[in-house]
Amino acid sequence: MKKSIFHLFFLSSVLPAFAQENPVQLQPHPFSEIKITDSFWKPKLEKVAKSALPASIYQTEEKTGRIRNFEKVAKKQGEAHEGIYYDDSDVYKALEAIAYSLQNIPDPALEQKADEWIDKIAAAQEPDGYINTFYSLTGLEKRWQDMEKHEDYCAGHLMEAGVAYYQATGKRKLLDVAIRMADHIDTQFRIPNKSWVSGHEEIELALVKLYKVTGEQKYLELADWFLDQRGRGYGKGAIWDKPEWGPNYAQDGVPVKEQKEITGHAVRAMYLYTGAADVAAAKNDPGYMNAMKTVWEDVVFRNMYITGGIGSSGSNEGFSVDYDLPNENAYSETCASVGMVFWNQRMNLLEGQSQYIDVLERSLYNAALDGLSLTGDRFFYGNPLASNGQHNRKEWFGTACCPSNISRLVASVGDYIYAKNETGIWVNLFIGNQTEFEISGTRIPVEMKTNYPWDGDISVELNPEKPTQFEVNLRIPGWITGDPVPGELYSFINEKMPAYSVAINGENVNGTVKNGYLVLNRNWKKGDKISLNFPMEVREIQSRPEVLANQNRAAIQRGPLVYCVEGADNRGKALNFSLSENPEFRVKDFQVLDEKVKAITFKASGLDNSEAKTLTAIPYYTWANRGPNEMQVWFPVSQK
Ligand code: FUB
Ligand code: ZN
């Protein structure tokens, strides 16, 4: 069941599936204007600052040759490149995460470290603006010949880092390095008879960021040019030659504006569509959006884990056939979930539909957050939904894309709380924060308080400088209206949904739900307080039968969080029970290491029908923090 245009509170909805309601284009409200104050995310920002980033710095400087490669280029002594050809990107991504973290938690020593790295990076730039330590150390004459070699991918991460560091500190040295590289790229491409299909998308979204910060139209045109190269038979090289991959691996099977299906490598796909959405918004070009809506449905309706993870197959780090969603062997790369957050935010900005935020929230709180340990210094690359004990969080990886990716996402999580336009504010995520908007020239300080995701009480206080008429659009999450996800891939087993309520200054309000948002349009005055109550019941979820891995199984969810049973809480065993019909779930305060969570307990009998025992389920993102052990998300259901 989908959300309705006119939704009376406490009643269920009536529109047919996937009804389109008045698209409305929104602007982001950046995290740099937001102070996160809640007890769920604030400690995570601190863990990124105090544990994840130091881990990245240690690995980048001491355990691997990533920074040394830049030093070697500057020395010009013909020394060997260390590591993999795309390792520069990890340095840039770590710098981007540092830039975000400095805005949340100023740290002069960390900033000094970033400045030191930036000096080394700048010293490694070639006179013509090119920068890539792999080619500078192995032969510049070979550059721009192999589409798979991630030169533009590394450049994209450099641009993102340059923009982020400039916005965080006002220092433009890294931004200038990025601009020189972008200008170099623009001399190589966008010229007659020259084609280039990036083997790993990323530069498109990065060029849009560069365009926005510099105002230089050519970067936007270059982003569009990169997008437009795909699907025209120009792709050449290792990816394209591999029979089991071919052009679809890098989303190069058909032109982007004609794409209908999700294919290939999941991170590549997410970055591509994020960039396409950015270009669509900046150029007001509906062509990309029309294609992406169908691709998005293909992802969400047929190819997404209940955790919001995507890319189930390890062999291509990406998509397989529809409904192929194995649990124990799930690839579900952390970077792909980070990409889901990026892409779904952009889709929401383009259309103002809450369904994109429903997906974003699912990916963020489950598959993405699972990538970061509770201590902040261990990481998951893949995020399986079942384990025999063979999975373990790691300090780092040979290909180390995931650690800094999850760090930059968590450090900038404030980006996803709101959206806005000239007439109103959109509340997308429920995260305690203080911020300020400006509508019709009036400053509107806003404070959100909540204990989400542990309970569904949220208050939003508005303090406009003077009474002002505007809309507050409150996202009514799919998990409270009966849709765990858009589409029918997953559904609640018991469709009876608890009533939610919204009050202004203590008085219950009825209102219109449009595009999945409750629209509150009034003359707001200082001290007006909106109170939302989304009752958080434990819900059982089933999959479509086509998902063979989940047949006769159920998962449980409370609020936005998917739960799992882990051996650590259940006498070492998590795979040996079955869920009875209508189990009685209890919610209790619990702790996984220092993370205060709500656990769910229930009685379940053994698979051999042995006596029922009480089991404890914990939020999925907290598993594997107490060593490797058994775990599962989809529980077998007793057969009558
Ligand atoms: O190719 C660079 C990164 O390495 C990709 O984004 C990840 O999936 C991993 O393959
Ligand atoms: Zn990754």
Side-chain angles (χ1 to χ4, degrees):
M1 290 276 278
K2 294 290 150 188
K3 300 164 197 71
S4 62
I5 305 179
F6 299 105
H7 177 106
L8 271 183
F9 280 159
F10 321 127
L11 295 181
S12 59
S13 45
V14 290
L15 267 198
F18 217 58
Q20 196 69 70
E21 301 160 22
N22 310 332
V24 39
Q25 200 163 334
L26 304 175
Q27 303 298 321
H29 185 64
F31 81 93
S32 51
E33 293 172 27
I34 294 172
K35 186 169 162 217
I36 292 195
T37 52
D38 76 9
S39 58
F40 185 80
W41 285 103
K42 194 162 170 262
K44 292 186 175 42
L45 303 191
E46 282 156 10
K47 276 179 189 161
V48 165
K50 302 283 173 250
S51 301
L53 293 176
S56 254
I57 292 169
Y58 172 64
Q59 294 290 341
T60 304
E61 291 188 328
E62 305 199 16
K63 294 286 275 191
T64 74
R66 283 173 169 79
I67 276 290
R68 265 197 308 278
N69 282 332
F70 289 96
E71 293 168 353
K72 288 176 179 180
V73 174
K75 278 200 266 164
K76 296 192 189 324
Q77 287 173 0
E79 291 170 272
H81 179 266
E82 293 176 63
I84 311 171
Y85 53 84
Y86 44 72
D87 280 357
D88 292 358
S89 64
D90 299 326
V91 181
Y92 303 142
K93 228 189 291 173
L95 276 169
E96 186 189 343
I98 290 172
Y100 297 155
S101 185
L102 288 174
Q103 290 181 65
N104 301 321
I105 306 168
D107 178 341
L110 188 59
E111 188 168 335
Q112 200 183 339
K113 175 58 67 189
D115 289 338
E116 206 184 285
W117 282 11
I118 290 167
D119 287 343
K120 291 180 181 177
I121 291 166
Q125 188 157 37
E126 300 292 340
D128 64 0
Y130 183 80
I131 180 162
N132 184 296
T133 66
F134 176 74
Y135 279 110
S136 285
L137 293 172
T138 61
L140 272 178
E141 69 287 353
K142 290 180 283 183
R143 64 186 172 163
W144 298 128
Q145 287 173 31
D146 184 343
M147 295 179 181
E148 205 283 320
K149 277 291 188 297
H150 289 50
E151 289 163 277
D152 44 61
Y153 167 90
C154 290
H157 280 303
L158 166 65
M159 292 171 208
E160 286 202 85
V163 170
Y165 202 68
Y166 170 66
Q167 289 175 331
T169 63
K171 297 177 191 169
R172 52 176 305 143
K173 189 167 192 174
L174 192 64
L175 178 64
D176 286 336
V177 173
I179 288 173
R180 281 196 291 276
M181 178 58 163
D183 290 345
H184 162 81
I185 293 174
D186 204 35
T187 63
Q188 303 297 303
F189 301 111
R190 228 158 49 99
I191 50 180
N193 304 320
K194 177 94 180 223
S195 51
W196 185 267
V197 180
S198 169
H200 194 314
E201 301 92 321
E202 150 68 18
I203 192 164
E204 306 82 357
L205 74 91
L207 281 165
V208 179
K209 289 190 178 182
L210 200 61
Y211 154 71
K212 286 186 178 158
V213 86
T214 60
E216 279 276 3
Q217 183 74 17
K218 69 178 176 189
Y219 301 132
L220 180 59
E221 298 306 330
L222 188 56
D224 203 6
W225 182 89
F226 272 108
L227 289 171
D228 193 52
Q229 291 291 296
R230 291 183 183 278
R232 306 193 185 282
Y234 303 152
K236 285 199 289 296
I239 290 173
W240 291 268
D241 295 343
K242 217 170 162 174
E244 67 274 30
W245 287 0
N248 280 337
Y249 174 84
Q251 300 76 41
D252 186 32
V254 282
V256 178
K257 287 182 183 169
E258 291 164 34
Q259 293 187 7
K260 295 202 164 27
E261 287 180 355
I262 190 74
T263 68
H265 187 273
V267 185
R268 284 168 165 85
M270 294 303 104
Y271 290 1
L272 167 67
Y273 299 125
T274 301
D278 286 340
V279 171
K283 296 192 88 172
N284 214 357
D285 179 346
Y288 291 119
M289 190 58 186
N290 292 340
M292 279 191 298
K293 279 204 275 200
T294 319
V295 177
W296 183 86
E297 289 179 12
D298 199 29
V299 174
V300 174
F301 294 5
R302 290 174 283 276
N303 291 289
M304 182 179 78
Y305 283 104
I306 187 68
T307 54
I310 52 163
S312 61
S313 154
S315 63
N316 63 347
E317 298 188 296
F319 296 92
S320 150
V321 293
D322 287 348
Y323 304 112
D324 178 29
L325 295 163
N327 290 317
E328 196 175 326
N329 298 324
Y331 198 68
S332 184
E333 184 181 337
T334 298
C335 287
S337 299
V338 172
M340 276 288 269
V341 172
F342 295 163
W343 183 31
N344 279 284
Q345 183 212 24
R346 303 322 202 269
M347 297 292 277
N348 173 260
L349 293 175
L350 277 170
E351 291 222 311
Q353 306 266 355
S354 73
Q355 61 180 355
Y356 300 117
I357 304 297
D358 284 350
V359 174
L360 182 159
E361 182 181 65
R362 181 170 292 279
S363 300
L364 173 66
Y365 279 87
N366 299 289
L369 209 43
D370 187 52
L372 181 67
S373 72
L374 296 177
T375 51
D377 59 354
R378 295 282 186 284
F379 307 93
F380 261 144
Y381 195 112
N383 297 275
L385 285 82
S387 183
N388 252 309
Q390 73 273 45
H391 303 97
N392 202 1
R393 294 175 185 276
K394 300 261 171 25
E395 286 178 39
W396 198 250
F397 309 93
T399 286
C401 45
C402 297
S404 314
N405 224 350
I406 187 63
S407 296
R408 70 175 174 153
L409 177 71
V410 171
S412 58
V413 70
D415 271 350
Y416 308 98
I417 301 177
Y418 300 102
K420 61 190 176 191
N421 71 7
E422 324 65 60
T423 60
I425 299 169
W426 274 252
V427 178
N428 279 330
L429 295 184
F430 308 110
I431 295 178
N433 75 90
Q434 294 161 350
T435 188
E436 198 172 295
F437 292 84
E438 194 183 309
I439 296 182
S440 314
T442 304
R443 282 181 51 239
I444 323 252
V446 172
E447 177 162 19
M448 193 187 307
K449 289 189 185 155
T450 182
N451 193 27
Y452 199 87
W454 308 123
D455 72 50
D457 288 327
I458 300 137
S459 79
V460 182
E461 190 174 309
L462 304 156
N463 283 298
E465 274 181 322
K466 58 176 196 299
T468 309
Q469 183 88 27
F470 60 94
E471 274 182 3
V472 176
N473 296 271
L474 300 169
R475 173 175 153 257
I476 306 300
W479 60 258
I480 195 78
T481 57
D483 297 315
V485 290
E488 288 164 0
L489 184 52
Y490 304 110
S491 54
F492 290 129
I493 289 176
N494 178 348
E495 289 197 340
K496 196 164 158 286
M497 297 307 300
Y500 65 91
S501 66
V502 181
I504 300 177
N505 300 332
E507 299 233 332
N508 270 2
V509 289
N510 285 337
T512 301
V513 175
K514 200 169 136 196
N515 293 334
Y517 293 89
L518 175 70
V519 186
L520 302 176
N521 190 344
R522 56 193 263 147
N523 196 24
W524 296 98
K525 54 181 190 336
K526 204 169 262 196
D528 278 346
K529 191 162 152 188
I530 307 168
S531 309
L532 292 113
N533 174 261
F534 296 134
M536 283 192 178
E537 296 185 352
V538 180
R539 308 303 309 259
E540 282 181 88
I541 295 178
Q542 64 196 352
S543 290
R544 280 184 71 113
E546 292 91 334
V547 185
L548 299 182
N550 300 341
Q551 279 185 352
N552 302 318
R553 287 174 183 264
I556 56 176
Q557 174 171 339
R558 181 174 180 274
L561 297 178
V562 173
Y563 276 69
C564 68
V565 168
E566 185 178 17
D569 305 304
N570 297 289
R571 300 165 289 274
K573 300 275 178 218
L575 306 173
N576 61 339
F577 68 93
S578 65
L579 209 56
S580 55
E581 213 178 324
N582 300 322
E584 194 184 324
F585 295 112
R586 287 174 195 275
V587 177
K588 66 170 187 185
D589 290 328
F590 198 66
Q591 210 159 313
V592 183
L593 301 185
D594 68 348
E595 184 89 347
K596 292 194 168 64
V597 304
K598 299 277 184 200
I600 298 171
T601 61
F602 56 96
K603 282 204 160 179
S605 51
L607 289 175
D608 55 1
N609 281 328
S610 56
E611 196 196 333
K613 296 201 171 73
T614 299
L615 294 179
T616 299
I618 55 170
Y620 169 73
Y621 81 86
T622 64
W623 89 280
N625 278 285
R626 296 161 294 180
N629 62 148
E630 291 184 1
M631 181 277 291
Q632 67 179 335
V633 167
W634 287 98
F635 314 145
V637 176
S638 307
Q639 301 298 299
K640 281 191 220 127

